[in-house]
């Protein structure tokens, strides 16, 4: 059958492969330049107390604005950064930026930073976190590091050791996207997290599907029993908010409560922090 396709098809196939490879290389090259070109920015999304509706802190979310590609989603460029080893540099930059920023906020506000599994396994992680905390002057207990279950997949001594060291510094650990990975409940036993982030996929269906509601209720209950804060991700409607509040979820995060935005654009912070408006970037795709 391969014969009947003829050599012309092989050529088309080869040239498509070539195009894709070229595009991949150019994407990687652009990403490597992004930081130097000032195309990266850290946005912040509020995390809110369910009962008082007060802001407890903000999650730092990396943004890439490319002059030609436009806004590239983190789910597209973070995996590439991990593959080419660039995530260490980007991750450190996000952490340093977020800590410096948060050091200017009222002391009641925390900042949460996502940590890639690749960063987590790095030998330099603890040293670099300590250095950044010292340089920024941010109190360690105002920093929360978000990790995913995949970090716990290799259940070796080093994983537990790293988590224990971070905790010893005073940093809080949050389990991100909870319920989407493997061994969800087991992972809560193997390490005492400070916070469980219930994945958006459950929140999306929480008002319409009994199974999603049951899971949110269960995770909230387990979290409470284990002394962990629970937060519902991706709250978009008042109905979803009411639902998670009803089962006792402590915090919420989502478009309903606030879009990710540069720190200088966050209303709540504008009132208390003197931001230099001239440093604002004009690209506001998240916070319209
Ligand atoms: P995540 O850590 O679970 O972050 C929450 C994601 O949900 C963010 O997407 C946020 O914009 C989005 N989101 C928040 N509220 C809502 C809502 O109400 N509805 C919907 N549909 N979405 C909502 P984003 O910023 O595109 O980031 C996607 C993922 O990329 C993050 O998921 C995180 O895993 C990763 N990421 C983002 N920034 C960083 C970073 O600095 N370092 C690392 N390692 N990963 C990052
Ligand atoms: Mg996160
Ligand atoms: Mg999440
Ligand atoms: Mg998520």
């Amino acid at each position: 059958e391969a014969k009947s396709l003829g050599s012309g098809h092989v050529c088309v196939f080869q040239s498509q492969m070539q195009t894709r490879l070229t595009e991949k290389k150019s994407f990687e090259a652009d990403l490597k330049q992004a930081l130097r070109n000032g195309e990266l920015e850290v946005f912040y999304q509020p995390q809110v107390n369910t009962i008082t509706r007060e802001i407890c802190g903000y999650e730092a979310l990396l943004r890439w604005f490319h002059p030609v590609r436009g806004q590239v989603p983190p789910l597209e460029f973070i995996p590439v950064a991990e593959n080419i080893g660039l995530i260490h540099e980007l991750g450190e930059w996000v952490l340093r930026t977020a800590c410096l920023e948060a050091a200017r906020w009222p002391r009641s506000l925390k900042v949460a930073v996502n940590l890639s599994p690749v960063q987590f396994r790095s030998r330099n992680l603890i040293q670099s976190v300590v250095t950044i905390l010292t340089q920024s002057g941010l109190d360690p207990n105002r920093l929360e590091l978000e990790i995913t279950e995949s970090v716990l997949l290799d259940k070796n001594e080093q994983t537990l050791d790293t988590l224990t060291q971070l905790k010893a510094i005073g940093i809080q650990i949050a389990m991100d996207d909870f319920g989407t990975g493997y061994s969800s409940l087991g992972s809560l036993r193997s390490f005492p997290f400070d916070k469980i982030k219930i994945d958006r996929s459950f929140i999306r269906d929480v008002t319409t599907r009994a199974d999603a509601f049951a899971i949110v209720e269960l995770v909230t209950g387990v979290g409470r029993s284990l002394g962990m804060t629970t937060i519902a991700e991706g709250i978009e409607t008042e109905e979803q908010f009411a639902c998670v509040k009803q089962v006792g979820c402590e915090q919420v995060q989502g478009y309903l409560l606030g879009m990710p935005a540069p720190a200088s654009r966050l209303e709540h912070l504008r009132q208390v922090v003197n931001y230099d408006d001239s440093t604002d970037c004009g690209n506001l795709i998240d916070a319209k």
Side-chain angles (χ1 to χ4, degrees):
E1 206 197 71
K3 242 188 224 165
S4 69
L5 285 173
S7 61
H9 289 270
V10 174
C11 283
V12 169
F13 178 68
Q14 279 181 341
S15 90
Q16 279 175 351
M17 289 277 284
Q18 194 57 51
T19 309
R20 222 171 293 165
L21 192 65
T22 309
E23 166 49 23
K24 182 171 176 266
K25 289 290 163 208
S26 117
F27 188 91
E28 291 175 1
D30 284 2
L31 187 54
K32 282 181 194 160
Q33 290 295 324
L35 191 54
R36 230 161 314 173
N37 290 350
E39 295 163 10
L40 298 183
E41 204 171 340
V42 180
F43 275 29
Y44 300 87
Q45 187 181 33
Q47 301 186 333
V48 173
N49 180 289
T50 316
I51 294 170
T52 63
R53 292 220 185 199
E54 271 171 351
I55 296 178
C56 320
Y58 291 88
E59 177 176 4
L61 295 162
L62 184 55
R63 293 292 178 260
W64 180 17
F65 301 97
H66 185 272
V68 177
R69 300 175 189 275
Q71 182 171 351
V72 186
L75 290 177
E76 276 175 36
F77 70 81
I78 297 276
V80 175
E82 288 173 340
N83 278 336
I84 62 177
L86 191 66
I87 193 68
H88 301 282
E89 191 186 340
L90 296 191
E92 262 195 36
W93 181 79
V94 173
L95 185 64
R96 187 176 306 111
T97 306
C99 288
L100 283 167
E101 200 85 70
R104 307 166 65 189
W105 302 346
R107 294 191 54 83
S108 62
L109 295 174
K110 292 186 178 177
V111 68
V113 179
N114 292 284
L115 210 59
S116 150
V118 177
Q119 272 178 285
F120 186 84
R121 286 191 289 266
S122 155
R123 297 210 157 271
N124 301 322
L125 176 71
I126 302 293
Q127 187 51 57
S128 111
V129 169
V130 168
T131 304
I132 288 169
L133 279 171
T134 309
Q135 288 174 351
S136 66
L138 184 75
D139 186 338
N141 62 33
R142 291 178 58 206
L143 175 64
E144 203 168 75
L145 292 177
E146 297 193 0
I147 61 168
T148 52
E149 282 173 279
S150 59
V151 160
L152 304 175
L153 273 185
D154 35 14
K155 272 192 178 169
N156 54 43
E157 293 277 302
Q158 220 210 309
T159 306
L160 202 62
D161 194 53
T162 303
L163 286 167
T164 309
Q165 286 189 62
L166 291 170
K167 291 277 292 180
I169 298 167
I171 295 164
Q172 322 267 306
I173 308 290
M175 166 64 60
D176 206 350
D177 305 334
F178 186 76
T180 56
Y182 303 99
S183 72
S184 301
L185 289 176
S187 66
L188 296 182
R189 270 188 76 202
S190 51
F191 192 80
F193 298 98
D194 299 285
K195 193 175 199 171
I196 305 173
K197 302 194 76 177
I198 306 172
D199 191 68
R200 195 167 77 221
S201 55
F202 303 109
I203 307 307
R204 190 177 48 221
D205 298 331
V206 75
T207 57
T208 52
R209 291 183 55 125
D211 54 2
F213 182 84
I215 289 170
V216 173
E217 188 174 36
L218 173 92
V219 173
T220 302
V222 170
R224 191 188 307 112
S225 306
L226 297 178
M228 301 172 185
T229 301
T230 47
I231 178 166
E233 291 194 280
I235 296 282
E236 295 180 358
T237 68
E238 286 290 348
E239 289 72 28
Q240 291 167 342
F241 184 106
C243 236
V244 304
K245 184 180 179 178
Q246 185 197 318
V247 299
C249 195
E250 234 173 283
Q251 295 179 8
V252 280
Q253 181 180 348
Y255 297 163
L256 178 72
L257 295 315
M259 304 293 286
S264 60
R265 295 280 179 114
L266 298 164
E267 267 316 307
H268 174 255
L269 289 176
R270 285 175 80 95
Q271 294 160 13
V272 287
V273 182
N274 281 326
Y275 281 111
D276 177 3
D277 276 342
S278 62
T279 61
D280 253 3
C281 97
N283 287 309
L284 282 172
I285 292 161
D286 290 69
K288 289 182 195 103

